[in-house]
Amino acid sequence: MARAGLVYGLVDVNNGASQRLLKHFDFSVQPNAPVEDPELEMWVTRIHGR
């Protein structure tokens, strides 16, 4: 049985194409994420096991 988990990714704040793709796959911006580069945002989604 697979376990559920979270998937994280960093995306350039100016990369609209990547942001649209992430939204399509139910990713969302992780507020207050510990990102040092102001040009990056952390995105996260939950995956579900079978």
Side-chain angles (χ1 to χ4, degrees):
M1 174 183 243
R3 296 172 61 188
L6 296 173
V7 175
Y8 294 92
L10 293 173
V11 177
D12 187 310
V13 297
N14 301 306
N15 191 333
S18 289
Q19 292 173 11
R20 286 189 298 275
L21 183 65
L22 289 169
K23 287 178 186 176
H24 176 77
F25 288 105
D26 297 323
F27 278 77
S28 59
V29 174
Q30 180 72 28
N32 302 316
V35 178
E36 293 182 21
D37 186 335
E39 295 293 312
L40 296 175
E41 293 177 321
M42 184 177 291
W43 289 66
V44 62
T45 193
R46 180 173 297 279
I47 57 172
H48 303 281
R50 296 181 191 203

